[in-house]
Amino acid sequence: MPTTLEYYWDLASLDDGKRISAAAQLISTLCRFQAEMPATDEVATTEADMNRICAGDVSYAVKRLIKGLASSRDGARQGYSVALAELLGRVPCITVKLVLDLLWQSTEATKGMKGQEQRDMRFGRIFGLMALVQSGIVTRASTTAVDMRKIVMELAAIGAKQWYLREIAYVTLTSMVPMLGKFGIRDELITMFVAVALDKGAVTTADELLLALRLRRQYPGYDWHTALGQWHGRHMLGARNAGRVAQVLCEQTEGGAQG
């Protein structure tokens, strides 16, 4: 049986200090357990791999923290997501594929669920994706183009379908921008961002505009003339694009008022 159970209750505390203290103690204990495991260069792409390679408490923690993201109890999402991000970053054998698979299993919203239950699942998934990105493991060598596309497509889909999660979804996408440069297929990933998260280059919302600006500033050598063909010149906020920028911002304001 896991020997870290005492820390999980305070992870959901409404008291910030208790949550942070519980997370720090949990991660410290888990890292100590993992350090006692035989050294290996193997990575865990399945739950079975994780159970074999990781300390029992670590394997249990990854699964429990992911499942807890869908809980609406007090500060559970905040505490569990912080602990998950920190744990993932400290355990090198954990892969993006494994986390995505576990997250999808634990946060699937089905038609048979009540409205609040479905919302809990959506919040759980977005908090899980945030933790995954914040952990930094996206840049590990084990991360594939398929993994990246799955993350981007889900964040863009959440932003398009749930207005109340749009901003957090695009903030998470924007935080991924510096990570793209660490991949040998950087330009392919940028192209995917444009197609999936920037409405094929149209850029029709303020959140998309912020993401586009960040991408252009980070990677000026990319072929933005072709990618953002409906926008003129090198400066999206320049005078030649004033009308389009105003339209995007006005639509955002009207959409927010309706929401």
Side-chain angles (χ1 to χ4, degrees):
M1 287 292 292
T3 56
T4 51
L5 294 177
E6 60 187 288
Y7 302 122
Y8 291 98
W9 182 260
D10 281 346
L11 280 179
S13 174
L14 290 173
D15 185 299
D16 290 349
K18 282 188 176 181
R19 284 204 310 273
I20 294 172
S21 177
Q25 292 179 75
L26 175 63
I27 300 306
S28 176
T29 303
L30 292 173
C31 287
R32 188 170 70 253
F33 290 158
Q34 187 61 29
E36 295 172 356
M37 295 293 290
T40 178
D41 292 328
E42 282 190 87
V43 295
T45 58
T46 67
E47 186 176 345
D49 289 341
M50 180 174 66
N51 293 337
R52 177 172 51 83
I53 299 171
C54 295
D57 287 83
V58 171
S59 181
Y60 173 84
V62 171
K63 290 179 281 189
R64 176 160 181 174
L65 292 173
I66 289 175
K67 288 181 180 178
L69 296 172
S71 172
S72 58
R73 180 170 68 89
D74 298 339
R77 291 193 186 103
Q78 293 90 330
Y80 277 50
S81 62
V82 167
L84 178 63
E86 190 66 22
L87 179 59
L88 295 179
R90 298 284 193 93
V91 184
C93 65
I94 300 295
T95 63
V96 170
K97 179 185 181 302
L98 170 62
V99 176
L100 290 176
D101 287 347
L102 292 174
L103 182 62
W104 258 238
Q105 292 171 20
S106 299
T107 59
E108 182 179 3
T110 62
K111 293 182 179 179
M113 292 179 175
K114 295 180 180 179
Q116 183 58 51
E117 291 175 321
Q118 292 185 356
R119 283 190 290 275
D120 286 340
M121 291 297 111
R122 295 187 190 109
F123 273 109
R125 184 161 295 189
I126 193 85
F127 269 80
L129 291 170
M130 286 173 56
L132 177 61
V133 172
Q134 291 171 357
S135 73
I137 73 169
V138 169
T139 59
R140 287 179 178 168
S142 56
T143 303
T144 67
V146 173
D147 297 329
M148 292 292 285
R149 184 173 183 82
K150 191 171 184 177
I151 295 171
V152 174
M153 289 188 69
E154 186 65 13
L155 286 169
I158 290 172
K161 294 177 182 177
Q162 281 80 44
W163 63 267
Y164 53 90
L165 294 176
R166 182 186 304 145
E167 182 177 356
I168 194 171
Y170 270 81
V171 165
T172 304
L173 282 166
T174 302
S175 71
M176 293 177 67
V177 170
M179 302 177 184
L180 305 184
K182 299 182 182 297
F183 290 86
I185 55 170
R186 183 197 68 182
D187 284 3
E188 292 178 34
L189 293 177
I190 295 174
T191 299
M192 183 263 292
F193 261 71
V194 172
V196 175
L198 296 182
D199 195 12
K200 298 180 180 179
V203 187
T204 56
T205 71
D207 298 304
E208 291 176 8
L209 180 58
L210 177 62
L211 176 58
L213 288 169
R214 182 64 187 276
L215 281 164
R216 289 197 67 154
R217 183 169 66 249
Q218 189 82 33
Y219 306 108
Y222 183 76
D223 184 9
W224 293 111
H225 176 74
T226 300
L228 304 178
Q230 298 181 43
W231 293 77
H232 305 294
R234 295 183 178 180
H235 305 290
M236 296 183 73
L237 300 182
R240 296 175 65 189
N241 292 311
R244 181 172 288 276
V245 171
Q247 182 180 10
V248 167
L249 296 180
C250 284
E251 289 180 358
Q252 182 79 5
T253 302
E254 292 172 1
Q258 291 174 3

